[in-house]
Amino acid sequence: MPPTHCPSCGKEFRDHTSVARHMSQPRSGCNTWLQDLIQLHSTLPPSEDSADDPMAAGDIGEPHESYREQVEGEYFDGGGNWSKDCEAEVTDYFPEPPLAFEEGYTFLSLFDTDENSIHRKTNLYYPFSSRKEWEVAAWLLHSGLSMGKIDSFLSLEMIKDLRLSFRSAKELQGRAEMLPGGPRWKSQVICTSHSTKTPVILYWRDPLECIASIFNHPLFHNRLDLTPRKVYSTSQKLSQVYMEWMTGQHAWDMQSALPHGATLLGVILSSDKTCITALTGDCVAHPLLISLANIHMNTRLKSSLNTFLTALLPVPKFVHKNKQMKGVLQDRLVHQCLDIILEPLKSAARLGVMMSDPIGRSHYCFTPLASYIADTLEAMMLACVGRKTSPVTMAMYKQFGDAFRHEPRTKSTTLAQLDIVRSHTDPHNLEVFFREVQKFHLNGIEKPFWSDWPLAEPSHFFTPESLHHIHKQFYDHDAQWIIIAVGESELDFRFSVLQPTTGYRHFHGGISKLKQVTGRCHCDIQRSIIALSTDAMPPGIMTSVRALMHFHYLVQSPCIDDDNLARISAALDEFHANKHAIITAGVRWGKGNTTIDNWFDLAIGLLDGKLSVEDLEVVREEHKGDDIDEDADVEIVAMEIPSRAQRPDQPRPITDYFTIAKTLQHKKAGSIPIPLRSFVVGRTALHLAYDPSIRNIGVDEVAVMFNLPDLRPALADFLHREETSEHCLHAISGPRRAGPEAELPFDKLQVWFKICLQETEFHDAHTIRPAQTLNCAPPSGPWTSGCYDTVIIQTNAGQSWPTCGLSGALSVSLLVDILKNERCRSLGSPTQTSHTAYWQKWYTMVLGRSVHRLFATI
């Protein structure tokens, strides 16, 4: 065999296996060759012959873009091929699109207008002396160290030898403040009608400046929707599709109310009462965050430090003899502060304001309120309704169990009720005013902050969000019903005996006594609780809980059409039809373990009818994903390099094996190590480590190690079917045709105990999920029977996932030993094309035994 060379450093090796081993070593410097190559081609301008270069940036693109080339308007036929869908989506744009003018500004032009820009002409890193000093300063500023710790660090003799231009933490912060900044913080003392224990100080930034900074940020170039549109799944326009906020009817109606050529910028606000001191007092505040609904969903959801904290709403302690009136005064103060902070946005919503987009084009912008994200109690306070009233409908607590949607609570209705009370009662007479507004089920707010905000409707902008209204609601209600119905000890035992799965929490102590349950825990419980408890609780409870969970799952889809809306309504109808079983069984408990025989609960009352399309447009956008941060509401981030995608629920970028596999398949023979370890089959990418778990072992030894007596005949049958069958997938059924002593064209095997499997989102084929590690360890140590993950595999070439659901698939306890031959006597020395094709078929085949578990080569 001729020698081969490393494609990165050019070093010569005797074979491809040696090259692969060399490239997998971190110290070699060649282990990031493929990622660096993808990043390099993504940053270089396209050359004249880029159309013929499979590594051209346009061919690779961003992670979701590269895969979009394969799935846009296409479907998987089950045989490893993609086919064009017979009908494509049709889009109707708003007839009068927003106008853009050339006389705007860009982020860099604002950067150059800074007072210190003249110094940056000679020193790019001013006010720091060099790049190295800037790196030290940036690390210290982001390290989280206290000023005392930074002073101690800078006082070290080794650090003094660096001759930094700053010698203390105070000097470092002074230089950092010389850098161009964003909107400036302001402070204002708020005058209150009743005395407080401490002065009320409001800290805030101009929200219009925050919106202008977001709208002008270069990271959002080509990631902003500025024109409302209606998307239909077919050319007949029989079913409308709802994806981004601009595809909904709410945005279309707002745009219709604006002047011709105006640009609609939907404002998203979020707040939650938060403790801002740790172990040093009980100082609390309402952090107010702001974002734009126009930003693409996949970009707006990504975690970063670019979130705009617009204000800290104070929560003082009022001096009043009546405890209930203290709460009313605090609620009034929140509305008073919001009215002060948001006045610039209200003015822009009335009159409009000129803003520049990321490429310097000027737009005539209007800023109505598109969404306010808050938990249920805060939403009621902001909607000015009492504790037993829905913030979005006219339903009262006795109507929360109704199976139909009540009429919406509109701005005009609430303001009219307040006008009636103000006509005969002085709002400053707190207790009398509160008694009168209670007759209309209001909470005593004199002037809501949204009363003079054009196009602001409480029934529209108070949108559900998945953390509180789906996941926390599940744990506080659905899970508790199941725990009571099944029994704490029994359900805890069933969770404890589940096999641990890489990437998911294992509840070794059960779920009934969990403390500080996060959104991630909620999702991990939801994955298995129905299957674990279905035979231990009455069928009616199981049906109602399963229907409610199905409803919660469907509303989180990133793309909803009219057919999905019908399924969502059907799931909710099924819950209402069977919810009586929960009351009959007495599994609804309140405080003190008292049985509740009604549905007078606001959390369940949010399901008093069908969610509107506007609700669904936001509920799936805010906390999509499995790993949910309890304090993350509106977050913005830059896109990563093409081979690494970042999701809101992942602290680290996601390696894109789809792009890597696509890139490797187009490289010339000799430029990459073979056989390949990354493959794409339909909507699934598979990746193996360069080094196997077992480098060299006989076939019969593997059969003994994994208790697979039919391994040799299974391999022989596989090779025979590859030679005679036209299908790339073979069904697992029937007896072995080959005998136990069947002849194989190889002597030794290499075995992998793990495989990385990466898929796309079920509802959105353009979104790549994090890779999942599948374990297949043989018996050893604590795993006396081995550790084999359970998966669903497709065994029928005539069926496809997800088009055909689970048809043609099996749920099995999979022994996923990934094998390749060490020395092949009959294949000879194939070319890279045939070699790659052979191995791709090898890795996409499924072999099995019918007794206890299946053996798979993928």
Side-chain angles (χ1 to χ4, degrees), residues 62-65 68 219-220 223 225 243-245 292-303 556-559 620-622 624-625 635-640 645-649 761 764-768:
E62 298 175 0
H64 61 284
E65 294 292 341
R68 183 178 289 119
L219 295 178
F220 302 134
R223 294 183 175 90
D225 280 338
M243 297 173 290
E244 304 287 348
W245 178 68
L292 271 179
N294 304 68
I295 302 174
H296 291 172
M297 186 194 331
N298 289 336
T299 301
R300 185 172 65 252
L301 290 173
K302 295 181 179 178
S303 304
Q556 297 177 81
S557 170
C559 181
R620 64 178 182 274
E621 296 182 9
E622 300 311 331
K624 188 184 72 173
E635 297 180 333
I636 308 163
V637 76
M639 298 296 291
E640 297 291 341
Q646 193 168 12
R647 285 164 49 106
D649 52 344
E761 289 283 359
D764 184 9
H766 303 155
T767 302
I768 296 174

Side-chain angles (χ1 to χ4, degrees), residues 371-374 392 459-470 555 606 611-612 614-623:
S371 174
Y372 199 119
I373 304 168
V392 294
S459 59
H460 288 166
F461 64 72
F462 285 124
T463 50
E465 48 88 17
S466 51
L467 176 60
H468 293 93
H469 297 122
I470 292 181
V555 298
L606 292 174
L611 288 179
S612 66
E614 286 75 18
D615 295 335
L616 298 177
E617 288 163 12
V618 180
V619 69
R620 64 178 182 274
E621 296 182 9
E622 300 311 331
H623 295 279

Side-chain angles (χ1 to χ4, degrees), residues 327-328 330-333 335 381-385 418 422 433-434 437 442-449:
V328 174
Q330 289 182 349
D331 294 347
R332 285 189 173 187
L333 179 62
H335 280 264
M381 180 270 292
L382 295 173
C384 305
V385 299
L418 288 174
R422 277 195 296 259
F433 185 82
F434 179 71
V437 296
L442 302 180
N443 64 356
I445 302 299
E446 175 191 358
K447 182 180 182 296
F449 77 92

Side-chain angles (χ1 to χ4, degrees), residues 269-271 286-290 308-311 313 338 341-342 372:
L269 298 175
S270 177
S271 64
H286 284 266
L288 181 66
L289 300 104
I290 192 168
F308 264 111
L309 176 63
T310 304
L313 306 180
L338 286 174
I341 297 167
L342 301 174
Y372 199 119

